[in-house]
């Protein structure tokens, strides 16, 4: 599947095996959203189409990201707060974690950083808070740890929020 652009600046999906367009040249932007899906922008709203070009999540979001671990970050502009609010949808297009966060990261190793107020915490795919909102920045878990900053020093924590000390042992970090 290729993303193609016509002379008027509109995008479509093209199947190079069948030599046929899968969608009309109607989208203002398209990008791969993983697992054979594509994020498509029509006007000012984003949705998702599958690899056959079929609309699977209607264009209703102001911003979208690719799917990771079965969920995608989606956002809408909140006029009252004058900023985007973020949440998560599943591959059925269901909003499984409500749009309520100031920032939201993709899931990695079963957790995602989300910002509520001025601090970041970490949630699981059910939207449950696993690591409290106490960090100035969010990050992605890699190999069972993330780097956080405390007193201008880099530190690493595990998925339980425990500080990893240099000798490989763990201790609970209580700010």
């Amino acid at each position: 599947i290729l993303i193609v652009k016509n002379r008027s600046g509109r995008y479509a999906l093209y199947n190079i095996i069948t030599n046929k367009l899968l969608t009309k040249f109607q989208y203002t932007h398209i990008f791969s959203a993983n697992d054979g899906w594509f994020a498509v922008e029509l006007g000012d709203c984003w949705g998702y189409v599958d690899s056959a070009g079929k609309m699977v999540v209607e264009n209703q979001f102001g911003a979208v990201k690719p799917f990771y671990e079965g969920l995608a970050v989606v956002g809408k502009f909140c006029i009252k707060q004058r900023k985007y609010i973020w949440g998560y949808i599943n591959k059925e297009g269901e909003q499984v974690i409500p749009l309520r966060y100031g920032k939201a990261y993709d899931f990695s190793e079963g957790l995602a950083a989300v910002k509520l107020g001025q601090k970041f915490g970490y949630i699981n795919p059910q939207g449950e808070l696993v690591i409290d909102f106490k960090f100035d920045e969010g990050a992605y878990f890699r190999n069972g740890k993330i780097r956080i900053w405390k007193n201008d020093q880099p530190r690493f924590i595990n998925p339980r929020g425990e500080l990893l000390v240099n000798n490989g042992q763990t201790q609970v970090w209580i700010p």
Side-chain angles (χ1 to χ4, degrees), residues 57-81:
V57 178
E58 292 297 323
N59 296 79
Q60 58 184 302
F61 300 105
V64 298
K65 293 180 74 179
F67 282 85
Y68 288 95
E69 298 185 13
L71 298 175
V73 175
V74 295
K76 287 188 178 182
F77 189 76
C78 178
I79 294 172
K80 184 178 178 182
Q81 297 177 358

Side-chain angles (χ1 to χ4, degrees), residues 2-172:
L2 288 178
I3 299 169
V4 292
K5 182 178 178 182
N6 68 9
R7 289 187 178 129
S8 62
R10 296 292 178 173
Y11 292 87
L13 293 177
Y14 179 79
N15 186 322
I16 59 173
I17 295 171
T18 63
N19 201 28
K20 292 188 178 184
L21 282 176
L22 299 172
T23 66
K24 295 178 183 178
F25 281 99
Q26 62 183 346
Y27 300 110
T28 48
H29 292 96
I30 298 178
F31 66 84
S32 174
N34 297 333
D35 301 329
W37 282 30
F38 295 86
V40 293
E41 183 184 35
L42 188 60
D44 291 330
C45 293
W46 286 88
Y48 296 91
V49 297
D50 64 17
S51 59
K54 178 184 172 219
M55 180 65 66
V56 288
V57 178
E58 292 297 323
N59 296 79
Q60 58 184 302
F61 300 105
V64 298
K65 293 180 74 179
F67 282 85
Y68 288 95
E69 298 185 13
L71 298 175
V73 175
V74 295
K76 287 188 178 182
F77 189 76
C78 178
I79 294 172
K80 184 178 178 182
Q81 297 177 358
R82 293 194 303 220
K83 64 180 183 179
Y84 272 87
I85 54 173
W86 302 91
Y88 297 82
I89 63 169
N90 62 18
K91 295 285 289 233
E92 286 75 44
E94 301 164 333
Q95 196 175 115
V96 293
I97 300 173
L99 280 72
R100 62 182 287 232
Y101 298 107
K103 288 189 178 178
Y105 282 59
D106 301 321
F107 275 89
S108 66
E109 298 186 14
L111 295 174
V114 290
K115 186 176 186 181
L116 198 57
Q118 298 301 312
K119 297 291 182 180
F120 281 90
Y122 289 82
I123 60 172
N124 65 21
Q126 292 73 43
E128 301 163 333
L129 186 63
V130 175
I131 301 174
D132 200 16
F133 294 96
K134 58 186 174 186
F135 304 108
D136 294 330
E137 297 179 18
Y140 297 100
F141 274 92
R142 297 287 184 254
N143 300 315
K145 62 186 173 188
I146 56 165
R147 184 175 68 178
I148 53 100
W149 290 86
K150 175 129 172 94
N151 300 327
D152 294 325
Q153 295 293 318
R155 307 287 171 94
F156 290 90
I157 62 170
N158 66 22
R160 293 180 302 280
E162 298 169 332
L163 184 65
L164 301 174
V165 294
N166 291 338
N167 64 4
Q169 298 176 351
T170 61
Q171 64 186 33
V172 177

